[in-house]
Amino acid sequence: RKYNVASQQISSLAEEKKNLNKKVTLAAQLDATNINIFAANKRGKKAKKVKDVVKLKINFTIVKNITAETGERTLYVRITKPDNGVLSKSDSNTFPYENRELVYSIKKYIRIITARKQNVTVYWDVEEFLYAGSYRVDIFSDGTLIGSQSFNLD
């Protein structure tokens, strides 16, 4: 009888540990905020028309997270066009997300320091035809979507 009681307690504790590990993993995820997209012309000024855009500058902040492990992380930035196509230099630029491979636009390595927020800037050199409409930037890390922002080009 004592053995059965002890076995039940062990099973209960193992399940509780599993649930706590899930919570810690969720808490340790990075979070990208203050996502800002700047469409620049060839002089580095704000482009007034979509045909003048030569570079997209994407700024965002990785917020301070005391549960995130310090170390190298890879960020994947996807820039989605109005037709839901992704701006990418190669179809082989992919990363795993929810049991499939997604194409990314920009890959950035950062070093996470637990006690600090980090400002990150990435650039996309426009080499393709862009058209007016609503674009979207999605930022991923560790197989998780950590931030999104839409922007319009006229």
Side-chain angles (χ1 to χ4, degrees):
R1 203 178 93 197
K2 286 182 182 180
Y3 174 78
N4 286 339
V5 170
S7 293
Q8 283 181 326
Q9 285 178 330
I10 290 169
S11 293
S12 175
L13 289 172
E15 186 66 29
E16 188 176 339
K17 180 183 175 191
K18 184 175 159 186
N19 290 336
L20 288 172
N21 283 338
K22 283 182 188 176
K23 287 180 183 177
V24 168
T25 301
L26 283 174
Q29 289 177 354
L30 301 180
D31 190 21
T33 61
N34 301 327
I35 302 168
N36 185 11
I37 299 94
F38 180 78
N41 63 20
K42 62 185 175 190
R43 293 190 181 117
K45 307 278 188 209
K46 183 174 173 63
K48 293 186 178 21
K49 296 183 180 175
V50 69
K51 67 180 180 70
D52 297 331
V53 177
V54 297
K55 187 176 291 225
L56 295 173
K57 178 180 177 184
I58 303 162
N59 296 312
F60 54 94
T61 302
I62 302 293
V63 296
K64 179 173 99 173
N65 184 340
I66 60 171
T67 58
E69 286 186 38
T70 298
E72 294 286 324
R73 297 287 178 88
T74 305
L75 301 179
Y76 297 97
V77 179
R78 281 174 52 102
I79 305 169
T80 308
K81 301 181 286 188
D83 66 359
N84 290 326
V86 176
L87 295 177
S88 182
K89 301 297 183 201
S90 168
D91 288 338
S92 65
N93 291 346
T94 62
F95 67 98
Y97 178 70
E98 293 185 351
N99 299 321
R100 61 183 182 195
E101 294 291 315
L102 293 182
V103 175
Y104 66 83
S105 305
I106 304 163
K107 183 179 187 177
K108 173 87 172 182
Y109 297 102
I110 64 168
R111 178 148 180 82
I112 295 298
I113 300 170
T114 306
R116 291 196 332 221
K117 71 177 184 175
Q118 283 182 260
N119 294 319
V120 179
T121 302
V122 295
Y123 298 92
W124 177 261
D125 292 322
V126 176
E127 298 170 352
E128 57 280 298
F129 175 76
L130 296 181
Y131 44 91
S134 179
Y135 290 72
R136 180 180 173 95
V137 169
D138 294 312
I139 304 164
F140 297 83
S141 178
D142 301 323
T144 305
L145 177 64
I146 63 170
S148 292
Q149 182 68 45
S150 295
F151 66 101
N152 288 312
L153 293 177
D154 299 320

